[in-house]
Amino acid sequence: MRLVASLRVSTAGQARDGYGLPTQRADIRRYAKTNGHRVVKWCTDAGLSGALPPDERAGLTEALAMIRDGTADGLIVGQLDRLSRLLVEQEAILMLVWSLDRKAFSADTGEILQDDPDDPMRTAIRQMRGVFSQLDRALINKRLRDGRRIKRAATGHCEGRPEYGWRSNKGKRTPIPAEQKARQRMRELRDAGNSTRQIAAILAAEGHPTQRGGQWSSPVVSRILARMEPSK
């Protein structure tokens, strides 16, 4: 079976340690060889959160496109949480794969079987794994927020992710020219009465970069515009 592999790490640290890209690739390659499958494409999302929707992850978007057009017969990940750290997104991706009469695999557990009304435990066990993955992410985020609060209380400041258009260097914001150009274009399109969906399509057509290397979408545009000052 022709499989397209989807790999993801959310941080630079995870890329080096834990379940990083080399480990995922090795696990997938081992599973495919053992079970007589062939990986026809490796699609990678490096440094991207597992909470992002598929259209903001270029690698996963490419993998799903291959599933849709029949270039691949199935999707494989190292572990199920590489698809998504949010249960609703995980389930939506699996449903899409199954709706196209394709198969989904996880290198650690094998084929992810479709729901069977005569075997409700199958669905429950899969979804429980998704729930605990989502819980783990929430606990990690809580620890990070707690750490930032402690640092802010001790130092008076705490550096977080800079908004689109800026990079942070030792606590100082510096503009990113290409993203600043996209910000200005967003303002122009918004003030001209375009919807966020229309703005996303225009930005993509004009080749403006996103912050994480994914695709422009209505939610992405909405989040950026919400953080920008009102147009003068």
Side-chain angles (χ1 to χ4, degrees), residues 20-114:
L21 296 176
T23 306
Q24 292 177 47
R25 187 181 292 266
D27 286 351
I28 291 172
R29 185 178 285 117
R30 186 181 306 111
Y31 176 85
K33 182 178 180 179
T34 300
N35 292 276
H37 303 306
R38 178 167 59 95
V39 177
V40 295
K41 181 75 174 182
W42 300 87
C43 299
T44 302
D45 289 309
L48 296 184
S49 168
L52 289 172
D55 63 0
E56 292 186 42
R57 290 168 51 191
L60 181 56
T61 297
E62 181 182 9
L64 293 177
M66 293 180 66
I67 293 293
R68 287 190 185 93
D69 65 22
T71 310
D73 305 309
L75 175 71
I76 186 168
V77 291
Q79 295 177 354
L80 192 54
D81 67 357
R82 297 303 88 192
L83 276 184
S84 178
R85 286 282 228 164
L86 297 181
L87 178 61
V88 64
E89 292 287 356
Q90 170 191 294
E91 291 294 293
I93 295 167
L94 291 174
M95 293 301 174
L96 172 62
V97 172
W98 292 331
S99 72
L100 296 169
D101 200 26
R102 311 295 185 209
K103 294 183 180 294
F105 300 86
S106 176
D108 62 339
T109 61
E111 183 177 354
I112 305 168
L113 298 174
Q114 296 189 45

Side-chain angles (χ1 to χ4, degrees), residues 111-125:
E111 183 177 354
I112 305 168
L113 298 174
Q114 296 189 45
D115 295 343
D116 182 347
D118 293 325
D119 185 9
M121 284 298 294
R122 175 189 298 178
T123 302
I125 291 172

